[in-house]
Amino acid sequence: MKKIAIIGTQWGDEGKGKIVNYFSSDFDWVVRYSGGANAGHTIYFDGTQYVNHLLPSLHPQSDTKGFLGAGMVIDLGQLIGEIRVMTGRTEGFAERIYIDPEAFMVLPWHKQEDAFQEEQASHPIGTTRRGIGPAYTDKVSRKGIKIYWLFEEDVLLELLKRIYTEKRSRYGEAVLNEPEEVARSLISQRQELVDLGVHFASSLDVSKRLREESVLFEGAQGVLLDLDFGTYPYVTSSSCLAHGIAVTGFSPSELDEVFGVVKAYTTRVGTGPFPTEERSDITSRIREKGREYGATTGRPRRVGWLDLPALRYACERSSVDSLIMTKADVLAGIGDIKVCRAYRTGDGITEMPASSHDFFGAEPLYETLPGWKDIEDSSFARFVEYVEMAVKRQITYISFGPETDKVYHRNEI
Ligand code: IMP
């Protein structure tokens, strides 16, 4: 059965939520395999916009099931809020949601620690303060709490007490909430999820079903925020590549196709290198027209031109087969378009960064292309062809506008 991955090729916010939502009805499952409530995946349904952070972006009215897989760090309170909103609009929604007990939890202390570290840092990352870095840190240092401990209350409390003591000795008053209070809250959240009809699935049973059925793996953030290959340390703390599905027990070689989502320009939230960033009237207009404000934090996104060296790098790093372009409608009517074709770095001119190090201090070299009025404009077709040639990947779909159904196959244009 068909398996595909849809990932972001920039610094997140490429519009993956809409794209996953568009394709989701063709699949039995949509699986999230990384990140947590730092992601902000926007979907439109019945004229209303929903921004989900943890829920897979499945179509509300379909038979598709959603799986929050191992590899994620889950904030139960946030998840309940999202499920309640979706269930309010679509009966039976919660029963289509499955959680892998191997996933880890984000605890209140992780969010406090995240905020504390950002406030103390000489070079803050500009995190979403959703506790992501600290939750993954606890995971790899073997202190994290897996979802399955929610069902063994004595062990849960014991584990919470250990974490609390350690964090308290490290961060003092910045760490609030007694372990007993956290345990009570987690257990009541677990019960609420059970009452809503959410499945705490046996990890291996779901894996077997996923193997036999069709699956869309939904990436979070984008390759340039990947923990290993992004612009470290200005990255998130998990895998943003298609290869990240390995944490759910799947091999990337089981994927039939990897789609990379690319916005027609570039944005970034938080700090870190951004070679094509521009602070001008045009980029301010793009920010307003494209509503480029963080879906999780509301922060204005930094805006710049499409960066082809970065896109080539992302396609290579994540074995992208073909691309889906979003938000070209935002550039319509703004006049000539700039596209970065190469970088000048300390070592000369390069079309593709050799490592994430090359993003630091890269100077963009631009090509100027004529702008377009609408999707039928020949200048738009020229832009699409230019990008395809430059990155040696086909742009198979084009998303033009925020509504879910506004996705066109390349041949329609
Ligand atoms: P964290 O994932 O909250 O630790 O934040 C680390 C970096 O990733 C910061 O620059 C965030 O702004 C960025 N980031 C995290 N999630 C997203 C996302 O979904 N879209 C865009 N940027 C994100």
Side-chain angles (χ1 to χ4, degrees), residues 298-318:
R299 288 178 290 178
R301 294 178 183 143
R302 299 156 67 192
V303 179
W305 299 107
L306 181 62
D307 182 337
L308 295 176
L311 183 57
R312 290 186 191 104
Y313 175 87
C315 288
E316 259 339 276
R317 283 297 195 199
S318 194

Side-chain angles (χ1 to χ4, degrees), residues 11-14 16 36-41 114 118 125-134 220-222 225 233-238 267-272 294-297 299 301:
W11 279 281
D13 307 318
E14 299 89 356
K16 294 178 296 297
N38 49 349
H41 293 177
D114 198 353
E118 284 287 281
I125 307 287
T127 72
T128 58
R129 302 196 177 199
R130 296 294 179 105
I132 305 302
Q221 291 86 38
L225 284 174
Y234 303 100
V235 293
T236 190
S237 300
S238 57
T267 58
R268 170 164 205 168
V269 272
T271 38
T296 303
T297 57
R299 288 178 290 178
R301 294 178 183 143

Side-chain angles (χ1 to χ4, degrees), residues 10 262 266 276 305-315 323 325 338-343 350-353 359 365-367 369 383 386-391 395:
Q10 295 159 308
V262 56
T266 312
T276 63
W305 299 107
L306 181 62
D307 182 337
L308 295 176
L311 183 57
R312 290 186 191 104
Y313 175 87
C315 288
L323 293 167
M325 180 175 276
K338 284 207 289 184
V339 179
C340 169
R341 58 178 173 78
Y343 289 161
T350 178
E351 291 200 334
M352 180 166 5
F359 288 99
L365 302 174
Y366 287 108
E367 187 77 39
L369 300 177
F383 171 74
Y386 180 87
V387 176
E388 288 182 324
M389 295 269 285
V391 299
I395 297 177

Side-chain angles (χ1 to χ4, degrees), residues 103-121:
F104 284 82
M105 282 185 277
V106 171
L107 304 170
W109 305 314
H110 292 136
K111 290 185 262 187
Q112 293 152 16
E113 200 179 337
D114 198 353
F116 182 81
Q117 286 177 350
E118 284 287 281
E119 276 149 26
Q120 301 297 313

Side-chain angles (χ1 to χ4, degrees), residues 44-50 60-61 82-94 96:
Y44 287 83
F45 169 59
D46 261 0
T48 310
Q49 174 183 293
Y50 299 87
Q61 278 181 340
E82 292 178 23
I83 292 178
R84 276 212 213 105
V85 171
M86 299 308 288
T87 306
R89 295 294 301 268
T90 322
E91 216 184 305
F93 182 87
R96 291 195 274 131

Side-chain angles (χ1 to χ4, degrees), residues 134-189:
Y136 279 114
T137 303
D138 279 358
K139 170 181 170 173
V140 295
S141 53
R142 292 158 295 182
K143 291 178 211 125
I145 304 188
K146 290 205 179 216
I147 295 281
Y148 57 59
W149 293 121
L150 285 172
F151 296 89
E152 286 189 50
E153 296 179 15
D154 292 348
V155 183
L156 177 69
L157 182 58
E158 192 47 44
L159 293 172
L160 287 169
K161 279 183 178 164
R162 271 190 233 164
I163 297 185
Y164 176 74
T165 310
E166 195 194 303
K167 294 211 184 292
R168 191 81 182 176
S169 71
R170 202 146 163 212
Y171 299 108
E173 300 291 312
V175 166
L176 311 164
N177 310 92
E178 296 290 322
E180 290 77 9
E181 177 200 334
V182 175
R184 272 195 304 279
S185 150
L186 291 177
I187 288 159
S188 92
Q189 287 166 339

Side-chain angles (χ1 to χ4, degrees), residues 11-27:
W11 279 281
D13 307 318
E14 299 89 356
K16 294 178 296 297
K18 166 182 165 170
I19 300 300
V20 171
N21 198 223
Y22 176 79
F23 287 106
S24 66
S25 318
D26 298 337
F27 289 84

Side-chain angles (χ1 to χ4, degrees), residues 352-410:
M352 180 166 5
S355 77
S356 59
H357 180 256
D358 282 355
F359 288 99
F360 293 81
E363 184 198 327
L365 302 174
Y366 287 108
E367 187 77 39
T368 302
L369 300 177
W372 50 85
K373 291 191 295 298
D374 54 42
I375 198 167
E376 273 152 25
D377 195 325
S378 60
S379 301
F380 179 59
R382 204 174 136 202
F383 171 74
V384 169
E385 277 160 21
Y386 180 87
V387 176
E388 288 182 324
M389 295 269 285
V391 299
K392 300 188 178 65
R393 302 287 190 295
Q394 245 217 330
I395 297 177
T396 21
Y397 291 91
I398 289 164
S399 149
F400 218 81
E403 299 82 15
T404 305
D405 57 344
K406 296 269 185 305
V407 176
Y408 305 88
H409 193 273
R410 175 82 165 80

